[in-house]
Amino acid sequence: MSYLLQTNHLTKTIGGKDLVRDVSLHLKKGEIYGFLGPNGAGKTTMMKMLLNLWKPTSGNIKIFGEILTPRSYEVLKRMGAMIEFPTFYEHMTGYENLSLHCDYMGYYQHGSIEKALEMLHLSDAVNKPVREYSLGMKERLGIARAVLCRPELLILDEPTNGLDPAGMKQIRDLLKMLCLEYQVTILISSHILSEIESVADTIGIIHHGQMKKEISMKEIEEKTLAYIELSVSNTKKAAYTLSEILGLSNFKIWEDGKIRIYDGQISTQELSRTLALQNVPVTALGQKSETLEDYFLKLTQEGDTSCGN
């Protein structure tokens, strides 16, 4: 398959430490790719290499069918990005900062700045110095700058930082619109799994600098497991009851006294009755199904507290 963006065994080593190691990432044209990982997992390091801000120690990057080199100026012109927290000339207005960006990019299209500010709900602050912007406004101005020149590929590192729930929804709707109406391909990193779950077509999970899994959201939905979740004060006694009294093996003990039972043959009524007979107090019990967060934790959680399969 041909990919719009692809990395091949990408490694970045600084001071003898591998920040990312042997990472192969595959992004198809016209999709939103959610790049997930805990803080320090290597997401920002990867994005800096994709934008030629950092050079790989080994491996290569192919974008728009070309290997990225220090002279890939035309390739970079086709991209928009916001890495970490955006910076601006604080004494200049939002409009002036975006106008300066157009000059850098050699992009001149009447009304483009006004349109970008409108999309990010910043029209009322157009003539306000950036030093008077709130944290959330600066974040939105950074996204406005990233989308200003109509990029074919948009790379956003934690774009909802500093935004309230309404602002997060605005960004979510904007990304969907850019992808559907303007065919912009988007790579977005986040540690907020619910945000990625609501917009991504494909996710890549990175942990300790290594790619753990690339999978489509459709595949995750097809793999979704139904389970019973119960909360107890004594997990050891509850686990004994499940395994020795009920003969269950397919369950997992989580933090905060939670146990998930993946054996579909037992009902919540039978489970509740048996635990009560064994004097195991239950504070909560119900049927649930796995989410992207569950899938993520399976791949990244250190230590194995599972029983059985």
Side-chain angles (χ1 to χ4, degrees):
M1 179 181 288
S2 156
Y3 296 100
L4 185 140
L5 184 157
Q6 180 176 355
T7 72
N8 298 294
H9 307 290
L10 211 59
T11 295
K12 180 64 177 179
T13 305
I14 295 179
K17 179 183 178 181
D18 289 339
L19 301 185
V20 298
R21 182 168 67 258
D22 198 37
V23 175
S24 294
L25 180 151
H26 308 84
L27 176 56
K28 292 179 285 190
K29 183 177 181 179
E31 75 171 352
I32 299 177
Y33 185 109
F35 199 29
L36 290 173
N39 290 332
K43 303 186 300 295
T44 300
T45 297
M46 281 291 296
M47 290 184 157
K48 285 181 176 179
M49 288 192 286
L50 296 178
L51 292 165
N52 248 351
L53 298 174
W54 283 5
K55 303 299 183 284
T57 302
S58 63
N60 63 60
I61 302 165
K62 184 181 285 188
I63 303 179
F64 305 125
E66 298 181 26
I67 297 293
L68 195 65
T69 73
R71 297 184 176 276
S72 297
Y73 307 123
E74 294 305 315
V75 168
L76 294 172
K77 283 183 180 180
R78 299 166 67 182
M79 300 163 61
M82 185 179 73
I83 302 296
E84 296 182 313
F85 188 73
T87 57
F88 302 95
Y89 291 102
E90 297 276 323
H91 66 285
M92 295 171 62
T93 67
Y95 186 96
E96 289 168 340
N97 271 278
L98 295 192
S99 179
L100 185 61
H101 181 69
C102 286
D103 290 339
Y104 286 152
M105 298 292 289
Y107 182 85
Y108 303 99
Q109 183 172 328
H110 181 70
S112 60
I113 296 176
E114 290 83 355
K115 178 64 175 176
L117 290 167
E118 181 184 346
M119 284 196 299
L120 274 300
H121 303 272
L122 288 170
S123 297
D124 291 343
V126 63
N127 294 315
K128 182 186 291 187
V130 171
R131 62 171 171 265
E132 297 179 14
Y133 280 31
S134 67
L135 177 65
M137 290 170 68
K138 288 180 180 178
E139 196 77 16
R140 283 186 280 138
L141 186 62
I143 298 172
R145 184 170 61 189
V147 304
L148 175 58
C149 300
R150 294 289 177 88
E152 297 171 57
L153 172 62
L154 181 61
I155 297 178
L156 299 174
D157 186 20
E158 301 276 2
T160 55
N161 275 350
L163 299 183
D164 58 19
M168 293 169 74
K169 183 181 185 304
Q170 289 170 359
I171 300 307
R172 193 164 62 236
D173 293 343
L174 173 65
L175 296 179
K176 290 178 181 178
M177 183 274 289
L178 290 172
C179 189
L180 290 173
E181 296 185 22
Y182 295 96
Q183 289 75 55
V184 178
T185 303
I186 301 171
L187 173 65
I188 173 176
S189 78
S190 183
H191 64 277
I192 304 175
L193 278 69
S194 59
E195 286 301 297
I196 294 296
E197 188 171 22
S198 63
V199 299
D201 301 298
T202 300
I203 64 165
I205 297 175
I206 189 170
H207 190 49
H208 294 317
Q210 292 184 294
M211 183 72 83
K212 304 293 288 186
K213 187 76 173 180
E214 283 188 309
I215 188 169
S216 71
M217 285 302 301
K218 183 178 180 182
E219 287 179 84
I220 292 178
E221 289 166 5
E222 291 172 352
K223 289 175 180 283
T224 293
L225 296 174
Y227 60 88
I228 296 173
E229 181 175 275
L230 63 145
S231 296
V232 296
S233 57
N234 190 332
T235 54
K236 185 175 181 180
K237 191 173 182 180
Y240 176 85
T241 301
L242 296 179
S243 60
E244 300 301 322
I245 306 299
L246 289 169
L248 302 177
S249 61
N250 195 4
F251 62 90
K252 186 178 180 74
I253 300 172
W254 294 72
E255 295 179 354
D256 303 322
K258 286 186 172 59
I259 300 177
R260 292 181 181 177
I261 302 165
Y262 298 95
D263 192 321
Q265 301 304 311
I266 190 166
S267 67
T268 54
Q269 292 84 353
E270 181 185 358
L271 182 61
S272 178
R273 182 172 59 251
T274 304
L275 289 168
L277 289 173
Q278 295 299 313
N279 295 315
V280 179
V282 177
T283 55
L285 187 152
Q287 290 275 2
K288 294 192 175 184
S289 60
E290 287 194 327
T291 64
L292 175 58
E293 181 178 12
D294 299 321
Y295 189 82
F296 175 82
L297 290 173
K298 274 186 182 180
L299 293 177
T300 61
Q301 193 174 52
E302 295 183 357
D304 184 11
T305 57
S306 61
C307 295
N309 300 329

